[in-house]
Amino acid sequence: MSPASITAETLADALAALRDRAPLVHAVTNYVTAGFTANVLLAAGASAAMVDNRDEAALFAGVADAVLINLGTPHDTADVYHATARGAREAGTPWVLDPIGAGGLPWRGALAAELLQYRPAAVRGNASEIIGLSGLTGHGGSGGGGRGGGGRGVDSSDDPADAVPAALGLLEWAGAVSASGAVDHVVSASGTTRITGGSVLLTRVTGTGCALGALVAAYCAAVPDVGLAVAAAHTHVTVAADVAAERASSPGSFAVAYLDALHEVSPDDVRRRARIEHDA
């Protein structure tokens, strides 16, 4: 699918497909945000399971409809991540890598780079993480000891537009790569889609980025074209955040309104409110 085929209509269809499929997402994820991530998936129309022990994670990767590996609070050993990614690849389960901290923390940056060998359907991160991860593969960013881009720990100080060359390099391993920020950029082999909208309050609630990674995985289970799937997840989030910001002006009330909006947003809402642009 070319970027020009990612339209408000196809994004609306993707939301309908997600709701019809109601995919189960196996999330090996950040313990700080696991509950919020599960609630986002449920509100959006999917469901979650957090199975992160070495004895069951790989098995469950073949049971679930999609897998998220999020490195926000990594285990002391890399075994569970390798086992989960390997299990997903062997089962043909689409999986998403969220390389949190890859732009600034060496150990987890190296781990994220190792996990690319299992060919994720998508990589989702902030701009600094995408630049940092790409640098570790030799395609861009500084790469110096795992420090790429302008990351501050697990936060980003880079513009998503600046991550596009790095994202293009990561397409050697993934079907699509997204860098989120004020304007989200979704990169696939056929071009770049820019998604605008959302609210600054997304940055004031812990877990919105982690939950977006899980939602990307859910859409990858429901939509065959990975570029469209990733763009649809980002669009669902931005439209829901727009709706939530109309109801709430502070982080606590926004978090509740955001979950409600993820549930309430309809395909017709996506048709009316999606704001996308394309680069060939």
Side-chain angles (χ1 to χ4, degrees):
M1 175 177 288
S2 70
S5 299
I6 299 176
T7 65
E9 187 63 35
T10 58
L11 292 168
D13 290 343
L15 174 55
L18 175 78
R19 299 260 170 82
D20 286 344
R21 178 73 184 271
L24 173 63
V25 177
H26 167 29
V28 179
T29 192
N30 185 340
Y31 66 73
V32 174
T33 64
F36 187 77
T37 294
N39 284 333
V40 164
L41 286 170
L42 288 168
S47 59
M50 279 68 174
V51 181
D52 64 356
N53 66 77
R54 285 176 291 180
D55 295 325
E56 297 175 337
L59 175 66
F60 208 79
V63 173
D65 298 306
V67 171
L68 168 70
I69 295 179
N70 174 301
L71 300 180
T73 50
H75 296 266
D76 289 339
T77 66
D79 295 2
V80 67
Y81 302 106
H82 280 279
T84 303
R86 185 184 306 111
R89 179 160 175 78
E90 291 175 352
T93 305
W95 74 278
V96 172
L97 175 62
D98 195 335
I100 292 181
L105 296 169
W107 183 83
R108 71 178 76 190
L111 173 58
E114 291 171 4
L115 292 174
L116 290 173
Q117 69 182 292
Y118 303 109
R119 306 289 175 174
V123 177
R124 188 229 72 87
N126 65 40
S128 296
E129 290 159 353
I130 298 303
I131 293 169
L133 178 58
S134 186
L136 289 167
T137 70
H139 278 288
S142 69
R147 298 189 66 85
R152 298 171 299 162
V154 299
D155 294 324
S156 178
S157 57
D158 289 295
D159 189 310
D162 295 334
V164 169
L168 288 168
L170 289 172
L171 293 180
E172 180 177 338
W173 293 274
V177 179
S178 66
S180 56
V183 178
D184 296 343
H185 286 61
V186 177
V187 178
S188 66
S190 51
T192 301
T193 299
R194 298 187 302 278
I195 301 158
T196 60
S199 169
V200 70
L201 287 170
L202 283 169
T203 67
R204 301 290 185 264
V205 176
T206 297
T208 55
C210 296
L212 172 57
L215 194 57
V216 168
Y219 270 96
C220 285
V223 178
D225 183 270
V226 67
L228 174 60
V230 178
H234 280 262
T235 301
H236 194 161
V237 161
T238 56
V239 171
D242 283 341
V243 172
E246 294 168 1
R247 304 172 179 174
S249 59
S250 298
S253 56
F254 177 82
V256 174
Y258 178 58
L259 289 175
D260 288 344
L262 286 166
H263 173 72
E264 295 166 4
V265 164
S266 69
D268 282 341
D269 293 322
V270 170
R271 290 185 185 95
R272 289 187 296 104
R273 303 183 70 139
R275 288 183 274 171
I276 54 174
E277 297 176 345
H278 304 296
D279 291 335

